[in-house]
Amino acid sequence: MKIVLIPGLGYDCRIFDNLNLSNFNVQCLNWIEPKSNEKIHEYSQRLFSKVKDSSEKIILIGHSLGGIVSQEIASKNRIEKIILISSIKSRKEIPISFKLVKPLLLYKFFTKEISIKTIRFWGKSHGFENESEKDLFKSMVGKQKNYYLQWALKELSSWHEPKILTETDIIHIHGTKDKTLPYKLVENPDFTIKNGSHICVLKKAEKISELIKNALQQRV
């Protein structure tokens, strides 16, 4: 079994650092630069090409936008299982604030400089409560290029769920205090993280690690 981790928008593989996935073959995919006018479906296949060849069954674990990319990958590739963490399964689960981003061209204002400077105002409500967590966010987003950030936000705004091969199992984990992709919009999550924020994969990692291991043992 091979586990492939895909982080959320603007984040990198450090968002998964606190997960305990010992005894598994794990590869993490950091974001690559999108091509001009590239759609998220094509981008996702290109990103997946970075996965080392393996005869093992593939498990995708996607955080936030990484979960969307995981579903796009599974629409064209044989994937045993997708585990969504703080992500969405359909357009119905996208909050209206994100749906308006593309038609109102709001993505053009989304830069790493603005995100880093303003985290002191919005960080706590989205899970970044202390200085070390805010510093981690600044470090992760600071590595990204603004073209990627704006592209990703625009693609999220217009995303419609793809058709996934029926043999791919989807497991959804979501926190009750997620303010980025609100829990109230999520339809029938498989596992609920009480008081979990959008970065519960980092802050509630012990519980999520347990859920992942149990899900893999019971359902692979």
Side-chain angles (χ1 to χ4, degrees):
M1 183 190 310
K2 183 181 183 67
I3 294 178
V4 178
L5 306 174
I6 308 177
L9 198 168
Y11 301 158
D12 60 33
C13 289
R14 286 175 286 175
I15 198 69
F16 298 111
D17 274 357
N18 292 342
L19 289 181
N20 179 3
L21 298 174
S22 56
N23 301 320
F24 290 106
N25 178 13
V26 179
Q27 180 180 353
C28 190
L29 297 178
N30 281 316
W31 298 112
I32 57 178
E33 193 71 1
K35 296 179 179 179
S36 179
N37 298 318
E38 188 172 27
K39 297 300 181 183
I40 196 167
H41 178 73
E42 288 71 29
Y43 177 93
S44 299
Q45 312 314 316
R46 194 161 59 88
L47 182 66
F48 187 62
S49 71
K50 305 296 182 183
V51 173
K52 299 173 184 176
D53 290 338
S54 174
S55 60
E56 298 175 280
K57 293 179 179 179
I58 300 292
I59 311 296
L60 300 179
I61 300 180
H63 169 252
S64 193
L65 183 68
I68 287 175
V69 168
S70 296
Q71 292 168 77
E72 294 292 342
I73 291 170
S75 71
K76 288 294 183 181
N77 299 275
R78 180 65 181 269
I79 301 299
E80 185 72 17
K81 195 180 306 293
I82 298 171
I83 299 178
L84 304 175
I85 304 175
S86 307
S87 188
I88 52 175
K89 303 181 294 295
S90 72
R91 185 162 183 81
K92 292 185 292 185
E93 296 178 346
I94 302 177
I96 188 65
S97 57
F98 281 127
K99 290 179 179 178
L100 292 174
V101 163
K102 183 177 180 180
L104 296 180
L105 305 181
L106 298 177
Y107 60 90
K108 293 186 176 182
F109 300 97
F110 183 39
T111 68
K112 60 185 178 183
E113 292 83 7
I114 291 175
S115 298
I116 289 171
K117 287 180 180 179
T118 60
I119 190 174
R120 65 180 183 272
F121 300 115
W122 56 264
K124 185 174 182 180
S125 63
H126 290 265
F128 298 96
E129 297 181 293
N130 58 48
E131 289 307 309
S132 64
E133 291 164 356
K134 292 175 184 177
D135 286 344
L136 175 61
F137 171 84
K138 293 175 183 178
S139 177
M140 291 190 292
V141 171
K143 291 172 54 180
Q144 311 297 340
K145 293 185 178 180
N146 286 329
Y147 178 75
Y148 151 73
L149 293 173
Q150 293 171 357
W151 170 88
L153 189 59
K154 180 173 65 174
E155 289 299 305
L156 170 60
S157 177
S158 59
W159 184 69
H160 290 265
E161 65 276 13
K163 291 184 179 179
I164 297 176
L165 301 177
T166 55
E167 57 264 35
T168 301
D169 189 22
I170 299 180
I171 299 169
H172 195 162
I173 302 171
H174 215 92
T176 59
K177 288 192 175 181
D178 192 321
K179 302 298 184 183
T180 307
L181 297 172
Y183 179 80
K184 66 181 180 181
L185 296 180
V186 174
E187 295 186 343
N188 303 315
D190 296 283
F191 300 105
T192 294
I193 304 299
K194 186 176 180 181
N195 296 323
S197 68
H198 194 61
I199 57 167
C200 62
V201 67
L202 185 71
K203 302 179 69 171
K204 304 281 188 178
E206 182 176 358
K207 176 62 177 177
I208 292 177
S209 297
E210 179 185 353
L211 291 173
I212 290 172
K213 288 181 178 180
N214 289 340
L216 295 182
Q217 290 170 1
Q218 294 171 12
R219 301 168 73 170
V220 168

